[in-house]
Amino acid sequence: MIRTFTTMLVGLLFVCFQSVGQNSITGRIMDGDTDEPLIGANIRLTETNQGTITAADGSFTLDNVADGTYKLLISYVGFKDQNINVTVNGGNQDIGTINLKESLFLSDQVVISGTRMAEKLTESPATIGVITSKQIDELPSFNPGELLARVKGVDFVRSGVVGTGVNIRGFNSNFNSKNLQVADGRLATLIATGLPLGPLNTQIKEDIERVEVILGPNSALYGPNAHNGLVHIISKDPRTSEGTTVAVNAGNQSMFSVRARHAQVVNEKFSFKLTAEHTQGEEFSFADSVYIDRDADGIKEGYEEFELDNDFAFNRVEGALYFSPNAESDIILSSGYSNSTYLAPTNVGRNQIKDWNIFFTHLRYTSENWFAQVYYTSSKTDSTYAIDERTKQYYRGIDSGMTPEEAGGAFSYGSGAIFQDDSKRVNSEVQYHNTFGDVEIVTGVQYQQDMADSNDTYLLDDSDDLNVYQMGWYGQVQYKFADTWKAVAAFRADNHEIYDFNFVPKFGLVKTVGNGAWRLTYGQGIAAPTILNMYGDLFSGLILGNAQGFTLTDGTTVEKQKVEKIQTFEIGYKGQVVPNRLFVDANAYYNMSKDFLSPVTVVGVATERGDVPMDQVQSGYGIYGGLVATYINFGKVNTYGADFGLSYYFNDNLSADLNYSYFNYSVDENDMENDFNGDGEVNDLDILVNSPKNKMSLGLNYSSDKWFGTIFMRWVQAYNYYSSYQIASETKPGWTYRGTPIVEDARSTDTWNYGPLGGFVNVDVGLGYNITDYMTLSGQVTNLFDSEIREFTASPFIGRLYSAELKFKF
């Protein structure tokens, strides 16, 4: 199957499509500011919907045009649309060179993530936030993830100097794989856990063109785990970003970063880019207490994490070669590598990430009607470990009479603290898209093979690699009618080796009104269990994956985990309320979720996993006697909320943004299917919403030829948070969590409960100056007033951060 699929892909890479016609329209589209050609700009005749895209030199030819007068619509991501009247009366009509101007207003933005086709932001049937190239370029930090805090509707969390991430519309955890991360159409997720690569990524800030964030399920087009949302990172094309950039950052926490990017157009056929980064520093001072039973009375005492290393370091390199066999197509070969060391919060304490390597090779083919890709991803680490478990094992050694040196050596990893990974993934995709009058279609097939290998450290893979296959077919039809209406229908059919067949539909209706549009959307999403959920083997088998189900000592069974499902209804409006001044983006949604993928939970003493006796599965059977913690499905919950955004442009240089979000849920407290912890009562400890009800942000932005700056304020309402061993909660009289009373600022079984997350106001300020056309100096202060901010369990309190950046562009 793999060989056939690969042969088909390679064959498609060399297919060229050319149209020949008597009448044609030709021209060239350029960046009005840099005088660089805009490759891939969309050209459309609005009366017929005939279209094409620009070539590497910005030129285009639109063939087979009947005589008549037309309106030519020219659009390009990040630039303002331009309409041109063209009359064709036999032969070729050359419109000459058209210069597009960069868009200042959100309503002019063109996005690709909502429907996998280029469309105006206002006309997309999805809620999409955009981090623009200008925002990224003017951020005085090595970490572009900080800008996710400014996207409407997301729950932004910062877990230290390095760690940044988002959750969308509830049900967060310290091991959240429900928000899909994609880079240039390539899955940017870990193979075994499904987690976004985050700090492990290979891209540098200077090579990111923009980031598109979709709120809500988008599984119909992007597959399982585009469940709550999607973060799509789109890199720069060397043909529109030629030159060399060198950036140096320095700040407190011993932070130092140097990055370089070079892009060059060799000729009309070939261009390339190269990037590199080295970043290092020190995490905020914080030791997560580890509670250990060390006496006969069973009293647990807190100890600091053993051999805690607060230093972090990242090394990244990437390269890409672009080849244009003709004016309508590109073949792009890219590859990247990263090596990362840092502290990462999990739901069982912190992991010490040590020399974790990510590598990918990505081959793409694009043309006016076809897209094909095949890529390979690998993940490797030999010495990453769980600090919590290593600390406990160290003191077990001390209590058995070992010296500190003996207990802290190989023995300290003996109970399963070590995590090794040598996993690989192969993906491929073929997509066809075209326009037939008022109808636009997209259809494609995807294939994925995950080959997980933990060297028998955290997966049940002692005999061989774990190979999991899945195939997906997706399609979309978009129909424009009555000039101002657009209807969208999409679907995805997935066949998973373990979870069989799933069908996911999506429907949308968009009504354009002046400079904006109303939209009504219905969508479904699924979250498939990860390889860790299916085949996990943590801490000598205390935590086991649930791909086959369990039989307990009393004869009852625990069903194998299945996919989580969500249905969403959404209504929204995006557009200019005051032309070129006030932009509004508002939406309200209602979700119906069922069969939640649970966090780790103790299910009891098992006699069998599937049909295999427990003493043959659980390596620590002599210790645990079949006691198992695993992952299950449970419950049915309805969630609802609204996101509201205002952007006001005082002039071309000064703008202000106001974002507000509300989120809540309802659950049938009499339905014991919702009683996750089995205590006979349905409450917050079962539903694990883990999101604030209210959050708001306000930003003031200035950008001119010389100066740029921002003032950004964010408020997050306090909220309780529960994720496996981790807890952050107010005191709940009479409530217990894992057998311990819930008391704020007190021990909670294995961890310490510091109290609710959120409940803070954070202010960031940044300022920059373009000294010359080639040199820029900028700086920022994050958490200006040094507020006590804790946004994630198993992570430190975030203090004030300083960062200065010196950037050279040649």
Side-chain angles (χ1 to χ4, degrees):
M1 180 181 291
I2 299 175
R3 183 177 299 171
T4 302
F5 209 85
T6 304
T7 301
M8 181 170 60
L9 279 170
V10 173
L12 281 169
L13 292 175
F14 298 95
V15 177
C16 302
F17 296 87
Q18 293 183 336
S19 300
V20 179
Q22 234 178 355
N23 293 351
S24 61
I25 300 173
T26 61
R28 196 172 185 219
I29 311 302
M30 307 291 286
D31 184 331
D33 294 324
T34 66
D35 203 32
E36 296 285 342
L38 294 178
I39 302 102
N42 281 276
I43 315 297
R44 283 280 182 270
L45 294 179
T46 57
E47 290 81 1
T48 67
N49 241 344
Q50 286 177 264
T52 187
I53 58 175
T54 55
D57 62 353
S59 65
F60 73 90
T61 300
L62 190 58
D63 289 318
N64 297 324
V65 181
D67 288 348
T69 298
Y70 301 92
K71 181 176 289 185
L72 192 70
L73 175 63
I74 304 168
S75 61
Y76 189 78
V77 174
F79 287 75
K80 188 173 183 179
D81 289 355
Q82 193 164 149
N83 289 287
I84 298 174
N85 293 320
V86 180
T87 299
V88 177
N89 187 17
N92 173 51
Q93 179 64 43
D94 187 357
I95 65 171
T97 298
I98 304 298
N99 293 310
L100 296 187
K101 292 292 185 182
E102 187 174 359
S103 172
L104 295 174
F105 306 103
L106 289 174
S107 58
D108 295 328
Q109 290 281 349
V110 175
V111 294
I112 62 172
S113 298
T115 60
R116 283 183 173 257
M117 293 185 290
E119 60 188 349
K120 289 187 68 175
L121 176 66
T122 54
E123 296 178 0
S124 176
T127 298
I128 302 180
V130 179
I131 299 174
T132 67
S133 58
K134 181 179 287 291
Q135 287 178 297
I136 297 168
D137 188 53
E138 295 181 351
L139 176 70
S141 170
F142 72 92
N143 187 359
E146 296 177 9
L147 291 171
L148 291 167
R150 306 179 192 181
V151 177
K152 172 182 62 66
V154 305
D155 293 336
F156 174 81
V157 291
R158 184 159 198 160
S159 58
V161 178
V162 172
T164 56
V166 299
N167 186 61
I168 298 173
R169 297 179 179 176
F171 307 107
N172 197 10
S173 75
N174 288 42
F175 239 63
N176 187 357
S177 60
K178 296 179 183 178
N179 299 300
L180 190 64
Q181 181 177 330
V182 177
D184 291 328
R186 169 180 55 85
L187 294 184
T189 59
L190 286 170
I191 296 153
T193 65
L195 296 173
L197 288 181
L200 295 168
N201 76 87
T202 65
Q203 288 177 301
I204 72 169
K205 186 187 79 169
E206 285 68 26
D207 194 44
I208 298 176
E209 177 66 30
R210 69 188 186 281
V211 180
E212 297 178 3
V213 182
I214 295 183
L215 278 62
N218 213 37
S219 296
L221 292 179
Y222 289 92
N225 299 331
H227 177 271
N228 285 10
L230 174 82
V231 177
H232 191 181
I233 304 168
I234 300 161
S235 68
K236 293 179 179 178
D237 189 319
R239 297 165 295 187
T240 55
S241 57
E242 194 174 10
T244 301
T245 300
V246 178
V248 179
N249 285 82
N252 63 329
Q253 298 302 123
S254 304
M255 189 277 293
F256 174 78
S257 177
V258 57
R259 303 174 305 282
R261 178 185 186 273
H262 177 74
Q264 183 173 334
V265 177
V266 179
N267 53 43
E268 64 179 11
K269 295 287 188 182
F270 289 96
S271 59
F272 70 92
K273 63 180 179 179
L274 297 169
T275 67
E277 173 180 351
H278 171 74
T279 296
Q280 64 185 44
E282 184 180 358
E283 191 50 85
F284 287 112
S285 178
F286 173 74
D288 213 4
S289 296
V290 179
Y291 288 86
I292 303 165
D293 184 357
R294 299 191 67 191
D295 61 32
D297 296 327
I299 299 174
K300 292 190 175 185
E301 183 178 349
Y303 294 84
E304 290 190 353
E305 297 162 297
F306 177 61
E307 289 192 356
L308 175 64
D309 183 3
N310 279 319
D311 292 339
F312 60 81
F314 302 94
N315 294 290
R316 302 181 173 106
V317 291
E318 268 196 18
L321 176 65
Y322 285 59
F323 171 60
S324 302
N326 54 50
E328 289 82 26
S329 61
D330 291 321
I331 297 174
I332 304 167
L333 176 64
S334 58
S335 190
Y337 169 84
S338 68
N339 176 278
S340 306
T341 295
Y342 64 102
L343 290 167
T346 78
N347 53 18
V348 288
R350 293 200 283 182
N351 280 352
Q352 180 69 64
I353 307 297
K354 298 282 286 187
D355 291 321
W356 197 309
N357 300 323
I358 298 295
F359 172 80
F360 80 88
T361 296
H362 189 186
L363 181 63
R364 287 173 282 165
Y365 170 79
T366 64
S367 71
E368 184 178 353
N369 299 117
W370 288 93
F371 169 76
Q373 66 175 346
V374 58
Y375 59 93
Y376 167 86
T377 307
S378 69
S379 166
K380 186 174 179 59
T381 181
D382 293 323
S383 49
T384 290
Y385 58 88
I387 303 176
D388 181 277
E389 182 57 30
R390 189 177 176 213
T391 304
K392 292 175 180 176
Q393 181 70 356
Y394 168 79
Y395 284 105
R396 292 182 192 121
I398 294 294
D399 290 345
S400 68
M402 289 185 177
T403 66
E405 291 75 20
E406 291 171 333
F411 176 84
S412 64
Y413 301 102
S415 61
I418 194 74
F419 292 115
Q420 296 180 349
D421 193 49
D422 192 11
S423 299
K424 303 169 183 64
R425 171 186 287 154
V426 175
N427 295 73
S428 50
E429 177 179 9
V430 178
Q431 179 195 110
Y432 175 75
H433 49 271
N434 208 341
T435 302
F436 303 94
D438 293 326
V439 178
E440 295 181 66
I441 66 164
V442 176
T443 186
V445 292
Q446 294 175 317
Y447 173 82
Q448 180 172 318
Q449 179 183 357
D450 290 331
M451 297 158 281
D453 181 4
S454 76
N455 194 24
D456 198 26
T457 59
Y458 71 96
L459 297 174
L460 292 167
D461 59 348
D462 56 338
S463 59
D464 200 358
D465 293 355
L466 293 169
N467 287 274
V468 179
Y469 305 86
Q470 52 187 308
M471 176 80 77
W473 172 42
Y474 62 87
Q476 177 177 277
V477 177
Q478 184 169 280
Y479 174 58
K480 295 182 179 180
F481 59 99
D483 294 331
T484 60
W485 287 90
K486 179 172 73 171
V488 179
F491 72 89
R492 185 179 183 93
D494 273 297
N495 192 57
H496 191 285
E497 182 181 8
I498 307 299
Y499 296 103
D500 302 322
F501 180 80
N502 285 281
F503 182 80
V504 179
K506 182 176 182 179
F507 304 97
L509 189 64
V510 180
K511 166 67 174 175
T512 300
V513 181
N515 292 319
W518 289 90
R519 68 189 184 280
L520 179 65
T521 305
Y522 168 78
Q524 293 185 15
I526 61 172
T530 66
I531 289 179
L532 180 66
N533 294 147
M534 295 185 285
Y535 298 106
D537 181 11
L538 299 170
F539 313 134
S540 302
L542 175 62
I543 299 175
L544 291 174
N546 189 12
Q548 297 177 330
F550 293 89
T551 301
L552 303 184
T553 53
D554 62 1
T556 61
T557 59
V558 177
E559 297 296 324
K560 79 172 187 179
Q561 205 174 28
K562 56 188 177 182
V563 298
E564 179 179 326
K565 297 181 179 180
I566 186 173
Q567 298 182 76
T568 294
F569 295 90
E570 185 170 330
I571 186 171
Y573 172 81
K574 290 178 288 208
Q576 295 184 38
V577 176
V578 179
N580 296 331
R581 282 289 179 266
L582 181 62
F583 180 84
V584 174
D585 185 354
N587 68 78
Y589 58 88
Y590 189 84
N591 301 325
M592 295 174 287
S593 300
K594 66 177 183 178
D595 299 327
F596 287 106
L597 301 177
S598 78
V600 174
T601 183
V602 175
V603 295
V605 177
T607 58
E608 294 176 310
R609 179 182 181 270
D611 56 3
V612 180
M614 284 300 297
D615 60 359
Q616 297 180 28
V617 178
Q618 191 177 57
S619 58
Y621 186 79
I623 302 172
Y624 304 117
L627 178 66
V628 171
T630 190
Y631 310 91
I632 62 172
N633 295 91
F634 73 97
K636 181 186 295 184
V637 178
N638 299 328
T639 57
Y640 52 90
D643 305 306
F644 182 74
L646 286 177
S647 295
Y648 187 81
Y649 300 86
F650 299 95
N651 51 50
D652 288 352
N653 306 119
L654 183 64
S655 65
D657 300 308
L658 174 67
N659 294 326
Y660 168 76
S661 293
Y662 173 78
F663 173 84
N664 211 338
Y665 75 96
S666 62
V667 62
D668 184 354
E669 296 181 355
N670 296 316
D671 184 355
M672 288 301 105
E673 289 293 319
N674 294 318
D675 183 18
F676 165 61
N677 62 8
D679 64 355
E681 182 181 1
V682 177
N683 55 34
D684 290 351
L685 301 183
D686 298 298
I687 307 308
L688 307 176
V689 172
N690 292 341
S691 291
K693 282 189 177 181
N694 297 279
K695 56 182 181 287
M696 184 173 66
S697 67
L698 177 65
L700 186 65
N701 316 292
Y702 180 82
S703 182
S704 67
D705 291 339
K706 284 294 183 181
W707 291 94
F708 58 88
T710 184
I711 301 173
F712 178 72
M713 180 186 71
R714 181 167 63 103
W715 168 72
V716 178
Q717 186 179 20
Y719 62 101
N720 297 327
Y721 183 98
Y722 310 95
S723 179
S724 189
Y725 292 6
Q726 300 296 319
I727 177 173
S729 176
E730 63 188 347
T731 299
K732 292 281 193 178
W735 287 25
T736 62
Y737 189 74
R738 299 181 63 239
T740 303
I742 299 177
V743 179
E744 184 174 348
D745 200 24
R747 181 177 66 83
S748 177
T749 312
D750 295 273
T751 63
W752 189 266
N753 174 17
Y754 290 94
L757 301 180
F760 62 81
V761 175
N762 177 55
V763 178
D764 302 337
V765 295
L767 182 65
Y769 180 67
N770 295 312
I771 301 171
T772 68
D773 290 341
Y774 311 103
M775 183 167 59
T776 300
L777 179 64
S778 59
Q780 73 172 12
V781 182
T782 302
N783 191 8
L784 177 65
F785 299 110
D786 201 21
S787 303
E788 188 173 89
I789 296 174
R790 192 163 187 256
E791 302 197 58
F792 221 34
T793 53
S795 68
F797 291 89
I798 308 301
R800 186 185 291 122
L801 277 173
Y802 305 93
S803 178
E805 179 177 274
L806 183 61
K807 184 184 299 182
F808 300 91
K809 293 182 179 180
F810 308 101

